[in-house]
Amino acid sequence: MSYRPFSIAIILLGCFACFLVIDYDFRRFLPQLDRHLVRKETEDEKPPHIVAQMGALLLEDQERIWEFTPDENRPVMHTFYTPLGGNHDQISRHDASILATWKHAWYQAGWNPRVLRLEDAKKYPKFDEMYDAVNSMKYNKYETWCYMRYFAMAAIGGGYMSDYDTIPLNFIAEKKYRELPNNGNFTTFSYHIPALLSASDSEWGRVGQRLVEEGVKRNNIPVTFSDMLALQRLLGKKEVIAAGPKVYGIFPKGFQKKDGKLYCNILSLYRAIHVSHESLYREKRPINLRPEIMADIMQQYHTDCGSPEFYQSFTQALHLAKSGSNDLETQLRRKAEAPLVDRRTVEQKSNSVI
């Protein structure tokens, strides 16, 4: 008797049973797969953050980054930015978003923000000499541009400068800020960290050259002797003035109450917040979200402590940019000239929170 037909029947029956089991498991898994795909599609289609949208627009017309219109009613706050490659075509949307956030934050605080670049530093009479000296240190472009920003400030006439990731807290523009502190002598508001500085044009040039000299002296040490370390040396020699710790990193948990609101009376002691790599790392915040974090800080300080708001006016600026307006801040000014906020009013609100 042959068992072959019987064996084939058993195999076919087994295959059919396996198919039923697999089909059941697959159908049971389909809703989960469908939900996953829908969620992924929703996340992908979620519109980018508002500051990222502005960054994308600035990349389309990069001259907006460098636009500057003098305003006799507003003191100027400068920053320095040049892509690491030196070519403006290499500006990332991330950096453009940071610059857009920086400009709007300082504008809302009553300042006239201005972004400087390498072309400004080249106007300094001794630029070639200083540039060659820094290049002899064989540093990367980031460190090189950090040294060059001092000469950009000297070339344009001096004044205030902040890092492009430093935003104002209790530093509302007033007429008195047209006069530089300490008679124009080089002043740092964050010790050896060049997050917020002020000086006359001659002082910017003097300190810039001294920083390069200090850097060249230590060219043979195994670590990169940045302009920050060089500034620390000048502070130790009392060649520059330290105005105290007036700049802080992003809000640590110690600056927040149990309900998440800020201790405004503590923060009222600081002029600005420096959203640096180090502070982001310390607070375990993602570096790639730095522009969004900067914007959130401005809005939270407005909500909790009564400083100038951020998102509403930034949304207006974004709409104007999308409509093709060339000078965003000028268009905003024409639409509704925002009066300068009295710093004493802000401080009173800050002190009344607790």
Side-chain angles (χ1 to χ4, degrees), residues 64-82:
R64 292 187 178 190
I65 295 174
W66 324 110
E67 281 176 350
F68 174 72
T69 304
D71 186 338
E72 62 181 12
N73 295 317
R74 290 173 175 265
V76 181
M77 180 59 68
H78 306 83
T79 195
F80 181 87
Y81 173 80
T82 291

Side-chain angles (χ1 to χ4, degrees), residues 190-210:
S190 190
Y191 290 129
H192 66 289
I193 301 173
L196 183 61
L197 309 164
S198 71
S200 64
D201 54 353
S202 60
E203 278 287 278
W204 278 106
R206 177 187 71 84
V207 171
Q209 292 184 51
R210 286 289 294 117

